[in-house]
Coordinates of all heavy atoms in Angstrom, one line a residue:
C35 N 5.2 -0.9 4.6 CA 4.7 -0.1 5.6 C 3.2 0.2 5.4 O 2.9 0.7 4.3 CB 5.5 1.3 5.7 SG 7.3 1.0 6.1
G36 N 2.5 0.1 6.4 CA 1.0 0.3 6.2 C 0.6 1.8 6.6 O 1.4 2.4 6.9
P37 N -0.6 1.9 6.8 CA -1.1 3.3 7.0 C -1.1 3.6 8.5 O -1.1 2.8 9.4 CB -2.7 3.2 6.6 CG -3.0 1.9 6.8 CD -1.8 1.1 6.5
T38 N -1.1 4.9 8.7 CA -1.1 5.4 10.2 C -2.6 5.9 10.1 O -3.1 6.8 9.4 CB -0.3 6.7 10.2 OG1 1.1 6.5 9.9 CG2 -0.4 7.2 11.7
Y40 N -5.2 7.6 11.4 CA -5.9 8.8 12.0 C -6.8 9.5 11.2 O -7.3 10.4 11.7 CB -4.8 9.6 12.7 CG -4.0 10.4 11.7 CD1 -4.2 11.7 11.4 CD2 -2.9 9.7 11.0 CE1 -3.6 12.4 10.4 CE2 -2.2 10.4 10.0 CZ -2.5 11.7 9.8 OH -1.8 12.5 8.8
H44 N -6.3 8.4 1.5 CA -6.6 9.2 0.2 C -6.1 8.4 -1.0 O -5.5 7.3 -0.7 CB -6.3 10.6 0.3 CG -4.8 10.7 0.4 ND1 -3.8 10.2 -0.5 CD2 -4.1 11.2 1.5 CE1 -2.6 10.5 0.0 NE2 -2.7 11.1 1.2
G46 N -3.9 8.8 -3.1 CA -2.3 8.7 -3.1 C -2.0 7.4 -2.2 O -1.3 6.5 -2.7
N47 N -2.5 7.3 -1.0 CA -2.1 6.1 -0.2 C -2.6 4.9 -0.9 O -1.8 3.9 -0.9 CB -2.8 6.2 1.2 CG -2.5 7.5 1.9 OD1 -3.6 8.1 2.5 ND2 -1.3 7.9 2.2
R49 N -2.8 4.4 -4.0 CA -1.9 3.9 -5.2 C -0.7 3.1 -4.7 O -0.3 2.1 -5.2 CB -1.4 5.3 -5.9 CG -0.4 4.8 -7.0 CD 0.1 5.9 -7.8 NE 1.0 5.3 -8.9 CZ 2.0 5.8 -9.5 NH1 2.5 7.0 -9.1 NH2 2.6 5.3 -10.4
T50 N -0.1 3.6 -3.5 CA 1.0 2.8 -3.0 C 0.6 1.4 -2.6 O 1.3 0.4 -3.0 CB 1.7 3.6 -1.8 OG1 2.3 4.6 -2.4 CG2 2.7 2.7 -1.0
F51 N -0.5 1.3 -1.9 CA -0.9 -0.1 -1.5 C -1.3 -1.0 -2.7 O -1.2 -2.1 -2.7 CB -2.0 0.1 -0.5 CG -1.6 0.7 0.9 CD1 -2.2 1.8 1.3 CD2 -0.4 0.2 1.4 CE1 -1.7 2.5 2.4 CE2 0.1 0.9 2.5 CZ -0.6 1.9 3.1
H79 N 3.6 7.5 15.5 CA 4.1 8.3 14.4 C 3.9 9.7 14.6 O 2.9 10.4 14.2 CB 3.2 7.8 13.1 CG 3.8 8.3 12.0 ND1 3.2 7.9 10.7 CD2 4.7 9.1 11.6 CE1 3.8 8.5 9.6 NE2 4.8 9.4 10.2
W226 N 8.4 5.7 16.0 CA 7.8 5.3 14.7 C 8.7 4.2 13.9 O 8.1 3.1 13.7 CB 7.4 6.5 13.8 CG 6.8 6.0 12.5 CD1 6.0 4.9 12.2 CD2 7.1 6.7 11.2 NE1 5.7 5.0 11.0 CE2 6.4 6.0 10.3 CE3 7.8 7.7 10.8 CZ2 6.4 6.3 8.9 CZ3 7.8 8.1 9.6 CH2 7.1 7.4 8.5
G247 N 7.3 0.5 0.3 CA 6.7 1.7 0.9 C 6.7 2.7 -0.2 O 7.3 2.6 -1.2
G248 N 5.9 3.9 0.1 CA 6.1 5.0 -0.8 C 7.4 5.6 -0.7 O 8.2 5.5 0.2
M249 N 7.6 6.3 -1.9 CA 9.0 7.0 -2.2 C 9.2 7.9 -0.8 O 10.4 8.1 -0.4 CB 8.8 7.8 -3.4 CG 10.1 8.1 -4.0 SD 10.8 6.6 -4.8 CE 10.3 7.1 -6.4
D250 N 8.3 8.6 -0.3 CA 8.4 9.5 0.8 C 8.9 8.9 2.1 O 9.2 9.5 3.0 CB 7.2 10.4 0.9 CG 5.9 9.6 1.2 OD1 6.0 8.4 0.9 OD2 4.9 10.2 1.7
L251 N 8.8 7.6 2.1 CA 9.2 7.0 3.4 C 10.8 6.5 3.4 O 11.3 6.1 4.3 CB 8.5 5.7 3.5 CG 6.9 5.8 3.8 CD1 6.3 4.4 4.2 CD2 6.6 6.9 4.9
A278 N 7.4 3.0 -4.2 CA 6.5 3.3 -5.2 C 6.3 4.8 -5.2 O 6.4 5.5 -4.2 CB 5.0 2.7 -4.6
N279 N 6.1 5.3 -6.4 CA 6.1 6.7 -6.6 C 4.8 7.4 -6.2 O 3.8 6.7 -6.2 CB 6.6 7.2 -8.0 CG 7.4 8.4 -8.0 OD1 7.1 9.3 -7.2 ND2 8.4 8.5 -8.8
M280 N 4.7 8.7 -6.2 CA 3.5 9.5 -5.7 C 2.5 9.6 -6.8 O 2.7 9.8 -8.0 CB 4.0 10.8 -5.2 CG 5.0 10.8 -4.1 SD 4.3 10.2 -2.5 CE 5.0 8.5 -2.4
L281 N 1.4 9.6 -6.2 CA 0.1 10.3 -7.0 C 0.0 11.7 -6.8 O 0.1 12.1 -5.7 CB -1.1 9.5 -6.6 CG -2.4 9.8 -7.3 CD1 -2.3 9.5 -8.7 CD2 -3.7 9.2 -6.7
T282 N 0.0 12.5 -7.8 CA -0.1 13.9 -7.5 C -1.4 14.5 -8.0 O -2.1 13.7 -8.7 CB 1.0 14.6 -8.4 OG1 0.9 14.3 -9.8 CG2 2.5 14.2 -7.9
K287 N 2.1 16.6 -4.8 CA 1.9 15.3 -4.1 C 0.4 15.3 -3.4 O 0.1 16.3 -2.7 CB 2.9 15.1 -3.0 CG 2.8 13.9 -2.3 CD 3.8 13.9 -1.1 CE 3.4 12.7 -0.2 NZ 4.1 12.7 1.1
M288 N -0.3 14.4 -3.6 CA -1.6 14.2 -3.0 C -1.3 14.1 -1.4 O -0.5 13.1 -1.1 CB -2.4 13.0 -3.5 CG -3.8 13.2 -3.4 SD -4.8 11.9 -4.1 CE -5.3 12.7 -5.7
A289 N -1.8 14.8 -0.5 CA -1.5 14.7 0.9 C -2.8 15.3 1.7 O -3.3 16.3 1.1 CB -0.3 15.5 1.2
Ligands
AMP1 P1 0.9 7.1 6.0 O1 -0.5 6.6 6.4 O2 1.0 8.6 5.9 O3 2.0 6.5 6.6 O4 1.0 6.7 4.5 C1 0.8 5.5 4.0 C2 1.4 5.2 2.6 O5 0.9 6.0 1.6 C3 2.9 5.4 2.7 O6 3.6 4.3 2.0 C4 3.1 6.6 2.0 O7 4.4 6.6 1.3 C5 2.0 6.5 0.9 N1 1.7 7.8 0.3 C6 1.4 9.0 0.9 N2 1.1 10.0 0.1 C7 1.1 9.5 -1.1 C8 0.8 9.9 -2.4 N3 0.6 11.1 -2.8 N4 1.0 9.1 -3.5 C9 1.4 7.8 -3.3 N5 1.6 7.1 -2.1 C10 1.6 8.1 -1.0

Side-chain angles (χ1 to χ4, degrees):
C35 296
T38 307
Y40 69 99
H44 57 67
N47 305 132
R49 182 185 183 206
T50 286
F51 296 123
H79 189 172
W226 171 41
M249 204 74 105
D250 56 345
L251 297 188
N279 216 328
M280 297 291 107
L281 184 67
T282 59
K287 180 187 165 189
M288 208 179 262

